[in-house]
Amino acid sequence: MPELYVNVDHVATLREARKTNEPNPFEIVKLLERTQVSGITTHLREDRRHIQDYDIKDISYYVGNSHLGFTFEMAASEEIRAILLKTHANMATLVPEKREEVTTEGGLDVISQSEKLAEFIKPIKNDGIQVSFFVDPVLNQIEAAKNCSADFVEIHTGAYANLFEAYQYQSDKNQREAYFNLLKNEVDKINQAVIYARGIGLKVNLGHGLTTKNLHMLMKVRDIKQYHIGHSLISNALFYGIEKICEQYLEIINPESPKL
Ligand code: PXP
């Protein structure tokens, strides 16, 4: 069965906006343990804009004693690798990282740095941690990942997600149809990439920009091991929780008010 991994960076993003203790990604991990999700994903960025070193320590210790898997997203940085090797992560996903980007905008260019990446991942694999490369749905990047001895590729679904967003908001019928065709092409491209990766012995994950709305069309892409989802899932959690928490506040400030 395909597995869901929840990226909790976005919880830390909210905390870092205030530099307080809440919301604490670690507390969310505890709640996630009570669900059917298979694991947690974090990205310890070099600029520490969301997840901090102490989050990694807490989360790693907790998931190490639970049934949850732990995927550690990272740039090919020696400093970050040293931290990874002290965790209970069972997968390291190598991603490109630029300081000026808002989120991981494109896949890793494996071809242009394949020798460096092949060397970089050796100690990770020797430590028993599986390695995944986050790549665009481009066949020669996937082939290069295999040549570096990656175990997985995670196909970047950001381009698909952006097209879906544009399609959704098209009111003009012809434009909508044109976007729908583009979307179908992108799904085919992802499908071909997955078939190719599986054919050369790689396991495949999908991630970036996935939502409850845009996931349906991607279900025709088979043989996916894990879906790594963050922003939209955490955003939706606000909607599903807001009514309950307002009731709690109202009960404190107005305890006499009759219950509905
Ligand atoms: N997979 C990877 C490799 C990522 O870098 C990200 C973004 O942090 C995700 C999955 C999750 O993307 P999103 O937050 O858009 O769901």
Side-chain angles (χ1 to χ4, degrees), residues 205-219:
N205 298 334
L206 293 185
H208 211 284
L210 297 176
T211 70
T212 52
K213 293 199 176 85
N214 69 24
L215 257 177
H216 294 284
M217 249 181 113
L218 277 183
M219 286 300 110

Side-chain angles (χ1 to χ4, degrees), residues 38-94:
S38 299
I40 307 300
T41 305
T42 61
H43 181 177
L44 183 67
R45 293 184 73 107
E46 289 180 277
D47 62 11
R48 307 296 201 274
R49 69 172 66 158
H50 38 55
I51 291 289
Q52 305 295 314
D53 297 55
Y54 64 84
D55 293 319
I56 295 293
K57 235 178 164 172
D58 291 348
I59 292 171
S60 170
Y61 181 76
Y62 191 82
V63 298
N65 291 295
S66 79
H67 68 275
L68 293 167
F70 182 25
T71 295
F72 190 102
E73 286 177 13
M74 60 186 283
S77 135
E78 286 180 18
E79 181 226 348
I80 305 288
R81 183 178 61 191
I83 297 169
L84 162 75
L85 294 176
K86 289 189 200 140
T87 69
H88 291 285
N90 54 301
M91 172 125 61
T93 300
L94 274 284

Side-chain angles (χ1 to χ4, degrees), residues 7 9-10 41 43 50 73 93 95 103-104 134 154 206-210 228-233:
N7 182 319
D9 298 348
H10 309 276
T41 305
H43 181 177
H50 38 55
E73 286 177 13
T93 300
V95 302
T103 179
T104 318
F134 186 47
E154 179 176 332
L206 293 185
H208 211 284
L210 297 176
H228 288 254
I229 307 183
H231 182 80
S232 185
L233 189 153

Side-chain angles (χ1 to χ4, degrees), residues 134-157:
F134 186 47
V135 293
D136 291 321
V138 172
L139 304 192
N140 52 7
Q141 294 290 355
I142 294 169
E143 183 189 22
K146 175 71 185 169
N147 291 339
C148 289
S149 300
D151 306 287
F152 278 74
V153 279
E154 179 176 332
I155 307 283
H156 194 315
T157 49

Side-chain angles (χ1 to χ4, degrees), residues 12-238:
T13 299
L14 191 53
R15 179 193 60 201
E16 293 304 307
R18 269 285 175 103
K19 297 274 179 213
T20 58
N21 292 322
E22 69 171 3
N24 187 341
F26 175 58
E27 297 299 328
I28 298 294
V29 171
K30 287 188 193 166
L31 293 178
L32 288 169
E33 193 193 8
R34 291 160 32 184
T35 72
Q36 297 290 312
V37 308
S38 299
I40 307 300
T41 305
T42 61
H43 181 177
L44 183 67
R45 293 184 73 107
E46 289 180 277
D47 62 11
R48 307 296 201 274
R49 69 172 66 158
H50 38 55
I51 291 289
Q52 305 295 314
D53 297 55
Y54 64 84
D55 293 319
I56 295 293
K57 235 178 164 172
D58 291 348
I59 292 171
S60 170
Y61 181 76
Y62 191 82
V63 298
N65 291 295
S66 79
H67 68 275
L68 293 167
F70 182 25
T71 295
F72 190 102
E73 286 177 13
M74 60 186 283
S77 135
E78 286 180 18
E79 181 226 348
I80 305 288
R81 183 178 61 191
I83 297 169
L84 162 75
L85 294 176
K86 289 189 200 140
T87 69
H88 291 285
N90 54 301
M91 172 125 61
T93 300
L94 274 284
V95 302
E97 206 173 285
K98 294 191 217 109
R99 265 162 213 262
E100 62 279 11
E101 71 191 357
V102 176
T103 179
T104 318
E105 279 160 9
L108 195 64
D109 184 358
V110 186
I111 296 169
S112 71
Q113 45 180 341
S114 57
E115 268 176 43
K116 178 187 156 199
L117 289 171
E119 276 306 306
F120 182 82
I121 66 174
K122 273 184 188 160
I124 303 177
K125 287 185 64 105
N126 287 342
D127 209 46
I129 301 171
Q130 294 196 293
V131 173
S132 178
F133 284 175
F134 186 47
V135 293
D136 291 321
V138 172
L139 304 192
N140 52 7
Q141 294 290 355
I142 294 169
E143 183 189 22
K146 175 71 185 169
N147 291 339
C148 289
S149 300
D151 306 287
F152 278 74
V153 279
E154 179 176 332
I155 307 283
H156 194 315
T157 49
Y160 165 77
N162 290 342
L163 271 176
F164 192 92
E165 186 82 357
Y167 158 75
Q168 230 186 340
Y169 293 110
Q170 283 307 321
S171 47
D172 178 82
K173 191 172 164 284
N174 291 334
Q175 284 286 350
R176 213 172 145 79
E177 211 173 291
Y179 268 104
F180 188 67
N181 287 329
L182 290 174
L183 259 182
K184 278 203 303 194
N185 288 344
E186 193 60 29
V187 174
D188 283 344
K189 196 169 157 189
I190 294 170
N191 201 23
Q192 289 311 315
V194 173
I195 291 169
Y196 178 74
R198 300 280 296 126
I200 60 172
L202 287 163
K203 286 170 251 177
V204 186
N205 298 334
L206 293 185
H208 211 284
L210 297 176
T211 70
T212 52
K213 293 199 176 85
N214 69 24
L215 257 177
H216 294 284
M217 249 181 113
L218 277 183
M219 286 300 110
K220 82 172 248 219
V221 179
R222 312 303 296 177
D223 281 337
I224 301 303
K225 288 278 179 207
Q226 301 166 353
Y227 295 84
H228 288 254
I229 307 183
H231 182 80
S232 185
L233 189 153
I234 299 294
S235 307
N236 286 167
L238 292 178

